Amino acid sequence: MSKENKIFVSCENANHICDKNQYKEASFWEKVKLNIHLIYCKACRKYSSKNTKLTNLFKDPKVISINQSAKDAMKEQLKKKMSQQE
């Protein structure tokens, strides 16, 4: 039996498949192998969970930025504070 047909994969290989799965690049059999591995490996389940959370955070960052005039006002305040301390 060749190495690619193995059902059980190492943690290193499982993490690689998990990363590929994150970017929708994993094949069906890789996903099957990953899910079998995750059944018995707590460390890789944790890695997979954190990977999923990270992916979701990047998809919906919920970041609100301030407008340019507010940034300029903050810069001016900072300059004033710095010049007062000199």
Side-chain angles (χ1 to χ4, degrees):
M1 177 161 38
S2 72
K3 191 172 187 176
E4 282 137 36
N5 290 333
K6 290 171 84 177
I7 292 175
F8 297 101
V9 294
S10 67
C11 289
E12 181 179 347
N13 197 6
N15 288 339
H16 179 69
I17 295 169
C18 181
D19 292 341
K20 284 175 68 174
N21 192 36
Q22 177 182 2
Y23 298 106
K24 311 277 190 258
E25 296 173 354
S27 70
F28 172 76
W29 287 112
E30 287 176 322
K31 291 176 187 178
V32 169
K33 292 176 188 179
L34 176 62
N35 286 324
I36 290 171
H37 185 84
L38 294 177
I39 290 171
Y40 64 86
C41 184
K42 184 178 180 179
C44 288
R45 276 195 309 271
K46 189 174 183 180
Y47 178 86
S48 181
S49 174
K50 286 184 175 186
N51 214 9
T52 301
K53 287 178 185 175
L54 183 62
T55 300
N56 291 336
L57 285 173
F58 275 98
K59 284 182 181 177
D60 188 22
K62 296 180 181 146
V63 175
I64 301 170
S65 61
I66 59 175
N67 60 28
Q68 190 61 41
S69 61
K71 287 180 187 178
D72 293 338
M74 289 173 67
K75 284 180 185 178
E76 286 301 317
Q77 289 177 351
L78 182 59
K79 284 180 185 177
K80 286 178 184 178
K81 292 282 183 182
M82 290 176 66
S83 65
Q84 289 174 357
Q85 292 186 3
E86 290 178 352

